[in-house]
Amino acid sequence: MGKLIQGIRGFNDILCEATSTWRFVETTVCEILDSYGYEEIRLPVVEKTALFARVIGEVTDIVEKEMYTFEDRNGESFTLRPEGTAGCVRACLQHGLLHKGQPRVWYSGPMFRYERPQKGRYRQFHQIGAEVFGAPGPDIDAEMILMTGRMLRSLGLVDLQLQINSLGTPQARASYREQLVSYFRRHHEQLDEDAQRRLHTNPLRILDSKSPAMQGLIAAAPSILEHLDAASKTHIEQITAILDTAGIPYTLNPRLVRGLDYYTRTVFEWTTERLGAQGTVCAGGRYDGLIEQIGGPPTPAIGFATGIERLVALAAADHAPSEPTLHAYLVVVGEEAVAPAYRLAERLRDCLPRLRLRVNSGGGSFKSQFKRADRSGARYALIFAAEELASTCVSVKDLRERTEQRRLSEADLVVLLAECIAR
Ligand code: HAM
């Protein structure tokens, strides 16, 4: 026998016992996006490498060291998408959607980053994200934050913290960047190796460092909120006024900088302490300059994405699927019962579209089939053998309550199963 080939590190199988929580999370989030007037868009998982380099930024961790990039048979460089915004902007530009009012779109699916796998951080992970084009805010910024808050509450997650910051305009950020660089230069000896490298490439990211030894230095660094241009200052004040009125608590965190380069003004993150180091559950912000920068018309834009694995990890603790996986398992005894059993099963499915019914496959004695029925987790075993065939009835055994077996007409069986589905 050959050696079993294992899956790839950081690429997870999502096994059957987890998929009901996945579906619950995905359905809840998608329904809320629909309810706020967003429309679904479906995008490829592979794009030209140049798109990500231009959109996300050449000196980000993602582009520098985390992309799955390969050449196709023609020698063209492609990349498995590390996030959804780049492809979404590309598609909306390419199909002229930006001329059609203010598109609000959402997407979902796998993303790929070559990061060190750990709890809550994987190399293939899943996001649901959304983007709004053509709306300058601050009203839409606040509404997006309210919407993400509603999504999390609908999943039963009420203990998350909301952090907000403004990165200002590119001009204001450039002047803040100079001040920050000169501050860190003055304390050069306290910078770790990564921060020393970032000082020259992306100094704002030093504020995001998790290194315990640098926390004092970071806390005392100049605050971006004190270097905002007047319009960005009013913008963030108007957002917080809407959040205050809506009663949504938040922290203004001047050290929230995000790992992608495209942001201007508003950035936000919902975080938790329950997931260790990977505590950001949902994150996003405004990127007003990006579309023009990649060749489109000047278009303000804002978006967010949420990591499904992280939502599932949090929701799984609270959301134990209460319904049985199967409502019924049909035990079919004897060759002559097989064809009528399938006819019965199809009729039951016609009457009860939400019925979850498994028909025994591959024969077997009554005893062995009954054991399979029990192991399947079904609520009822339906027994169809010569006797039932002759009397056009079905015997029913409640596998959970362990009550006496009963013989029911097909009509009564439909009523019983309908009650089970409705429960
Ligand atoms: P991001 O912060 O890179 O933003 O990712 C958004 C969310 O995806 C994170 O908060 C986290 O929940 C999840 N996530 C990211 N990396 C991993 C990973 N390796 N394993 C598991 N989950 C992960 C973006 O991707 C932006 N495109 C969001 C956005 C949309 N901004 C504007 N529009």
Side-chain angles (χ1 to χ4, degrees):
M1 236 193 320
K3 194 166 177 260
L4 186 69
I5 298 172
Q6 303 281 330
I8 306 167
R9 182 160 178 252
F11 287 64
N12 296 327
D13 301 309
I14 299 153
L15 300 181
C16 304
E17 61 262 28
T19 48
S20 85
T21 310
W22 273 73
R23 275 217 228 176
F24 163 68
V25 167
E26 288 166 338
T27 315
T28 306
V29 172
C30 298
E31 280 175 2
I32 288 177
L33 285 159
D34 290 340
S35 78
Y36 278 74
Y38 287 69
E39 291 177 291
E40 185 182 4
I41 186 165
R42 297 195 181 201
L43 303 163
V45 291
V46 178
E47 298 275 356
K48 292 182 181 164
T49 305
L51 177 74
F52 299 116
R54 273 171 77 181
V55 170
I56 299 170
E58 294 278 5
V59 290
T60 54
D61 281 353
I62 296 180
V63 172
E64 277 185 344
K65 48 187 187 197
E66 293 173 0
M67 297 208 299
Y68 280 90
T69 297
F70 58 95
E71 281 188 3
D72 79 345
R73 286 170 193 277
N74 275 330
E76 237 193 301
S77 181
F78 294 146
T79 293
L80 291 181
R81 62 180 179 192
E83 57 100 58
T85 308
C88 187
V89 169
R90 196 260 320 132
C92 290
L93 270 171
Q94 188 174 330
H95 300 287
L97 303 187
L98 302 188
H99 304 296
K100 294 184 184 148
Q102 286 179 346
R104 297 183 186 199
V105 293
W106 66 264
Y107 48 82
S108 66
M111 310 287 160
F112 306 85
R113 296 184 193 176
Y114 190 81
E115 295 191 87
R116 202 161 49 79
Q118 55 175 262
K119 186 179 166 212
R121 187 164 78 190
Y122 309 104
R123 290 183 172 170
Q124 173 177 295
F125 60 97
H126 297 76
Q127 284 185 344
I128 297 180
E131 317 291 343
V132 178
F133 301 107
D139 48 2
I140 190 76
D141 308 32
E143 192 198 52
M144 186 169 276
I145 293 169
L146 294 176
M147 176 175 75
T148 50
R150 178 174 298 279
M151 265 164 31
L152 299 165
R153 283 197 307 281
S154 304
L155 296 171
L157 311 179
V158 288
D159 57 348
L160 301 184
Q161 287 90 45
L162 170 61
Q163 304 199 39
I164 314 178
N165 192 18
S166 174
L167 301 178
T169 58
Q171 297 75 14
R173 193 154 74 244
S175 102
Y176 170 68
R177 185 187 147 120
E178 274 174 31
Q179 302 221 9
L180 198 63
V181 169
S182 91
Y183 168 80
F184 283 131
R185 277 225 176 94
R186 273 183 270 128
H187 301 89
H188 198 259
E189 70 297 341
Q190 292 182 48
L191 298 179
D192 64 14
E193 203 184 312
D194 199 37
Q196 290 188 16
R197 190 178 56 83
R198 284 187 162 144
L199 191 57
H200 304 290
T201 55
N202 201 344
L204 265 71
R205 289 287 287 163
I206 299 176
L207 298 174
D208 211 23
S209 165
K210 303 281 177 295
S211 156
M214 282 175 33
Q215 292 312 305
L217 182 69
I218 290 170
S223 160
I224 196 165
L225 289 171
E226 281 155 23
H227 293 82
L228 286 184
D229 53 288
S232 296
K233 197 159 185 283
T234 312
H235 192 101
I236 185 127
E237 281 166 4
Q238 286 171 330
I239 296 172
T240 53
I242 297 176
L243 298 180
D244 288 337
T245 308
I248 300 289
Y250 57 86
T251 307
L252 271 181
N253 176 1
R255 277 165 278 285
L256 179 67
V257 287
R258 312 272 302 121
L260 305 103
D261 265 2
Y262 46 63
Y263 294 109
T264 50
R265 293 195 170 160
T266 321
V267 287
F268 65 94
E269 288 191 359
W270 289 93
T271 58
T272 175
E273 268 126 48
R274 280 204 270 155
L275 291 178
Q278 306 307 316
T280 306
V281 171
C282 174
R286 178 162 282 287
Y287 49 99
D288 289 345
L290 177 73
I291 294 171
E292 196 177 5
Q293 186 192 312
I294 63 167
T299 312
I302 182 167
F304 79 92
T306 182
I308 312 292
E309 280 78 0
R310 294 183 192 177
L311 292 180
V312 166
L314 294 173
D318 313 326
H319 171 75
S322 53
E323 297 173 273
T325 323
L326 284 179
H327 298 116
Y329 187 106
L330 183 52
V331 170
V332 187
V333 188
E335 269 303 305
E336 68 289 0
V338 172
Y342 277 109
R343 192 184 52 200
L344 168 70
E346 291 303 310
R347 273 204 305 259
L348 291 174
R349 292 185 174 109
D350 286 342
C351 300
L352 303 164
R354 288 177 46 228
L355 176 66
R356 289 195 293 269
L357 167 70
R358 186 182 293 176
V359 180
N360 182 75
S361 164
S365 67
F366 173 79
K367 209 171 148 200
S368 70
Q369 289 195 40
F370 206 81
K371 252 196 203 154
R372 278 186 222 155
D374 208 16
R375 256 191 258 134
S376 74
R379 172 73 197 257
Y380 294 110
L382 313 180
I383 299 137
F384 205 62
E387 250 176 83
E388 284 80 10
L389 199 55
S391 60
T392 62
C393 283
V394 181
S395 295
V396 180
K397 170 88 181 163
D398 188 327
L399 294 169
R400 305 296 135 216
E401 306 260 309
R402 302 271 159 203
T403 46
E404 278 300 293
Q405 188 167 312
R406 304 181 274 168
R407 202 173 271 185
L408 296 182
S409 69
E410 200 175 308
D412 287 343
L413 177 61
V414 168
V415 173
L416 179 80
L417 292 174
E419 280 168 8
C420 178
I421 294 166
R423 234 174 266 145

